[in-house]
Amino acid sequence: MTPPSTKFTLRASMARLIGLCVFLLCMVVAATVIWNQEQHRREFERAEALNRVSGHAQALRQNIQQSLSATYALAALVRHGHGSLPDFDAVARNLLPHYPAATILTMAPAGIIRHIAPLADNEKAVGLDLLTDPATKREATLARDTGNLVLAGPLQLAQAGFAAIAVLPVFLDAADHKPFFWGFTCVVIRFPDALVGARLPQLENGGFNYDLWRAHPRTGRKQTIAASSSTALNEPVNVLLELPYGNWTLSAAPVKGWGDPLGLGLKALIGLSSSLLLAYVAVLVTRLRAHQGKLEEEVAERTKALAVANSDLASREALFKQVLNTSSVAIFLVDLQGRVTQTNQRMAEMFGYPMETLLGLEYVALVNPEEREVARQKMLALLASDIPAVEADRLYWRADKTEFWGHLSGKRFTDADGTEHGLIGVIIDITERKTAEKTLLQHDNMMSAIIENFPGGISMMDADLRLTAYNKQFKQMLEFPDALFEKPDLNLEDIMRFNAQRGEYGPGDIESQVATRVERARKFEAHKFERQRPNGRVLEIYGEPVPGGGFVTAYLDITERKQLEEEVRQLAFYDPLTKLPNRRLLYEHLGQSIAATKRSGYHGALMFLDLDNFKSLNDTHGHGAGDLLLVEVAHRLRNCVREIDTVARLGGDEFVVVVGDLSKDKAESTIQAGFIARKIQNALSAPYLLPVKHDDKAIDTVEHRCSASIGVVVFIDSEGTQEDFLRWADAAMYKAKESGCSLIRFSEATGQAQTAANNSAALAVPVGATR
């Protein structure tokens, strides 16, 4: 047998070994957790940085692309003038303010710069051949050969400094209708002027270094366009700016680098401290268990000695338990503290507890919570001998929280020496009796409860159609006077006659109306209908026959539900701002118009409109002014067409107009659609006087001028579907936009008549022009 001192030494060594293992395990777990958290933190930082840099890159892209669009405006004017633009200087002066990043506009017939604005300080550029100059030859040749806009640079220009030049080839139709190369329209974008809109200094203010660069198209080397520092960026995030002929990249990285070294060190210190603490706790637990083992050995020895003494007592107790368990009622003992000390098997079955669970349980814990305090007071009074016994019906709780009724008989319990040890109680399950009593009571109260608590009006008629029950809502909803219910044996005929006399059923012979309705009621059939009362309220009326004859009728006020259904219909099919049909209702009307063309043979027209000067109003005066403009545009559009035609808003500043019954001839229908489109353009081009509210609630009248680009498709059922016509009209509208805005374009997707219209003066109709 191992000596106690040796056991103590072994247990102490084991405690230290366990503590060391716990420390090492906790350190590994802490290091893993801290490393994963740091990685997630770096990923989150990089994601936030990428999102921020993307915003600046998007702003820069939009600024550059807006400036490049000036070349299209010049190209459109050149094509309009068949290669000539006599008033170039005046046109350029008007265009430049609309393109903040564009500093110079040029025209280069045959590739040679002949016109430049502003001319001051840029005279050296006149006569420059873009197709031969080393700085622009590659990009100009590529633009001429592909017919696409090409961005050259950034590069160092003698006349413009560090800048990029956008080159757009212009092709004109020759006498044989074959296009020929006329030359270029160009826009020069100076740096750093072009970067103002991107707000790149805000990146520096936010703790980031940035680098805007591109891969040089000739050398493939990195060319820095703008940078906040000459220091190389540490693991930067990169956002690609897609531009014509070459992409730029905006890179950024935190000045202080990624991650949080101080926080990482703090986490490591916390991990080390936690590991030491857990190791110490493990040592304490091990020692505690060793001490507990020693106590268990002592308890085992004493238990063995008591086993012999308790053997005789156990035999007697077993006999007593057998006697108790043969009883058909629950028998239990309660000590002076009110806790169960003895029980029989029937009580365990009655309450659904194991017998060992009941022992030591407070008796009042078995009583329903609503009666628990009353039971406690009765038990204390019995223990104090204030009352000799208890006889009571109580609601008890089983282990599964279900209820049952029991009849309790309780008295004080004394031993052979007359010493009081508590109480003895007997419980008989009387649930069936109580259930029967409750069922009878519920049956008596059911009808009154239903009538009084029904959320609407309710009335009951017997087999003789006499009113046997009703609630106050019945009188209130149907506005019956109290005097009507003072009549003895009030019946359905009396109620029908009263309603007919006050005009509930409309004009007609009163007796005939009453007889018809009473005869219908005598059939005792289920019915459901709605009735609008003279006061405008709508009632939903349900009738159900009852056993033995008669019926019960319920009245529900559904006025608000009807109003809500109408509001839902408005929200589902109409634009909430302009009250015009939305996309869903537009598809329904367009489908009907297409079906009508199939039946009648007459063509219809679909016009897709987009406002040309809407964004500037929002930017200058706010979205409130934009909403006022959209409402006025909707009003003017409705005034331009017939009531049977459709005007819809798709969203933003896009509208659709659908007209029908034009003509059976496709060409004539196209002319008619053109007249309607010009009428719409003239109406929308008139000045708008908008009462704009300010924060101080003052109202200023803002005058705004706005026009629309319109795409038109003339349709008939056999030529396409709803989606086809909308897509073609949308594409035609974008052609109008690209051609200079405020124009009308006919779709070429539906046949020769449309094509002829586009080949004529109807191809692009400015406001006020004639075909």
Side-chain angles (χ1 to χ4, degrees), residues 574-740:
Y574 292 89
D575 174 46
L577 176 64
T578 62
K579 309 306 179 186
L580 293 178
N582 58 16
R583 182 183 296 271
R584 182 177 180 181
L585 189 55
L586 168 64
Y587 268 82
E588 182 177 325
H589 287 185
L590 180 58
Q592 294 170 356
S593 297
I594 295 173
T597 63
K598 182 177 182 180
R599 293 191 303 268
S600 66
Y602 288 91
H603 289 79
L606 186 147
M607 304 179 187
F608 204 109
L609 293 81
D610 185 271
L611 302 182
D612 294 324
N613 194 23
F614 180 69
K615 184 177 182 299
S616 63
L617 177 64
N618 271 343
D619 294 344
T620 305
H621 299 287
H623 291 283
D627 289 346
L628 293 174
L629 177 66
L630 293 174
V631 171
E632 177 60 22
V633 167
H635 175 72
R636 294 185 184 186
L637 286 174
R638 281 193 292 258
N639 290 337
C640 288
V641 296
R642 302 165 299 177
E643 290 187 3
I644 62 174
D645 298 326
T646 298
V647 178
R649 180 189 177 203
L650 295 188
D653 58 344
E654 293 183 340
F655 296 84
V656 171
V657 176
V658 180
V659 295
D661 298 331
L662 294 178
S663 173
K664 291 187 176 182
D665 180 71
K666 186 65 171 287
E668 185 177 350
S669 296
T670 302
I671 295 173
Q672 292 172 345
F675 280 121
I676 296 173
R678 286 199 298 275
K679 178 181 178 181
I680 290 174
Q681 273 202 337
N682 290 331
L684 298 185
S685 298
Y688 296 82
L689 300 178
L690 308 175
V692 179
K693 292 183 179 180
H694 300 284
D695 293 338
D696 58 1
K697 298 184 179 180
I699 299 178
D700 286 341
T701 299
V702 174
E703 181 176 349
H704 181 74
R705 292 184 176 274
C706 181
S707 58
S709 296
I710 304 177
V712 185
V713 59
V714 175
F715 64 82
I716 200 165
D717 176 74
S718 60
E719 294 182 344
T721 64
Q722 298 177 42
E723 290 77 11
D724 293 334
F725 298 143
L726 277 169
R727 186 174 68 254
W728 295 338
D730 185 28
M733 180 274 292
Y734 273 103
K735 288 184 179 179
K737 282 280 189 184
E738 294 172 356
S739 299

Side-chain angles (χ1 to χ4, degrees), residues 193-206:
D193 297 345
L195 306 179
V196 172
R199 306 182 302 281
L200 294 179
Q202 291 184 5
L203 282 174
E204 290 186 84
N205 296 336

Side-chain angles (χ1 to χ4, degrees), residues 406-463:
H407 178 77
L408 170 68
S409 298
K411 292 184 179 182
R412 292 188 298 277
F413 170 67
T414 58
D415 61 11
D417 298 330
T419 304
E420 292 190 1
H421 292 281
L423 306 174
I424 182 169
V426 177
I427 301 175
I428 302 173
D429 190 337
I430 60 171
T431 303
E432 291 185 4
R433 189 192 74 185
K434 285 290 185 179
T435 301
E437 293 174 356
K438 184 178 180 180
T439 301
L440 290 175
L441 181 61
Q442 288 177 340
H443 180 75
D444 292 339
N445 295 332
M446 179 178 61
M447 296 309 299
S448 59
I450 291 175
I451 292 175
E452 292 303 326
N453 295 307
F454 188 71
I458 192 168
S459 65
M460 296 186 67
M461 298 283 177
D462 62 13

Side-chain angles (χ1 to χ4, degrees), residues 276-333:
L276 289 172
L277 179 60
L278 290 174
Y280 179 67
V281 171
V283 172
L284 292 180
V285 170
T286 303
R287 290 177 178 175
L288 179 61
R289 288 184 176 177
H291 181 67
Q292 183 180 0
K294 182 179 180 181
L295 292 178
E296 288 175 353
E297 290 176 0
E298 295 177 357
V299 170
E301 292 177 0
R302 295 184 182 182
T303 302
K304 184 177 180 180
L306 291 174
V308 176
N310 291 333
S311 178
D312 184 55
L313 181 61
S315 299
R316 296 180 182 181
E317 186 176 353
L319 178 61
F320 175 67
K321 287 183 178 179
Q322 289 179 16
V323 173
L324 287 178
N325 291 335
T326 59
S327 175
S328 61
V329 297
I331 303 174
F332 63 99
L333 300 178

Side-chain angles (χ1 to χ4, degrees), residues 91-107:
V91 171
R93 284 196 301 272
N94 289 329
L95 284 176
L96 282 173
H98 296 286
Y99 305 93
T103 56
I104 300 174
L105 299 177
T106 67
M107 291 173 51

Side-chain angles (χ1 to χ4, degrees), residues 76-137:
L77 293 172
V78 170
R79 284 191 291 267
H80 183 74
H82 302 289
S84 175
L85 186 59
D87 52 348
F88 170 77
D89 291 336
V91 171
R93 284 196 301 272
N94 289 329
L95 284 176
L96 282 173
H98 296 286
Y99 305 93
T103 56
I104 300 174
L105 299 177
T106 67
M107 291 173 51
I112 301 174
I113 297 176
R114 300 298 185 189
H115 303 281
I116 187 168
L119 183 60
D121 299 328
N122 296 305
E123 295 86 350
K124 295 180 180 180
V126 177
L128 178 67
D129 191 343
L130 300 177
L131 293 170
T132 59
D133 186 84
T136 60
K137 176 180 178 180

